[in-house]
Amino acid sequence: IGKGCTPQVAAAIVANAECESSFNTSSVNSIGASGLLQWLGVRLASLKRKATKKGVSWTNLNLQLQHMWEKIAQLNHCLIVK
């Protein structure tokens, strides 16, 4: 909500993270989707590059949350902002 989301969007983001990874930032599923929101392909590669540049593990919670917000901002979706 502090990022400008409606309460409904914030709840959806939390519910998605729970469903995707049970809030486990190091979760990896059977097809290789990884992390809090099960990043895959170019999004996972982007997350790992960002982690390397920052000198942190790709499993870092704050890094994954920052990555999520950047991806949401790129979408510039009207439902995200109040």
Side-chain angles (χ1 to χ4, degrees), residues 3 6 9-11 16-18 21 27 35 46 49 55 58 60-62 64 70 73 76-78:
K3 293 276 191 179
T6 64
V9 170
N16 189 54
E18 180 181 25
S21 67
S27 176
S46 173
R49 277 193 308 275
W58 69 268
N60 180 281
L61 175 62
N62 288 329
Q64 289 194 29
E70 288 172 3
N76 196 24
H77 197 282
C78 64

Side-chain angles (χ1 to χ4, degrees), residues 35-71:
L36 189 65
L37 296 170
Q38 295 296 278
W39 310 105
L40 188 63
V42 295
R43 289 187 174 145
L44 178 58
S46 173
L47 173 67
K48 289 183 174 183
R49 277 193 308 275
K50 188 178 299 167
T52 299
K53 285 182 184 177
K54 292 182 177 267
V56 299
S57 171
W58 69 268
T59 63
N60 180 281
L61 175 62
N62 288 329
L63 178 79
Q64 289 194 29
L65 292 174
Q66 177 187 20
H67 191 64
M68 176 195 72
W69 285 117
E70 288 172 3
K71 297 304 169 195

Side-chain angles (χ1 to χ4, degrees), residues 26-39:
S26 61
S27 176
V28 179
N29 74 13
S30 62
I31 64 167
S34 304
L36 189 65
L37 296 170
Q38 295 296 278
W39 310 105

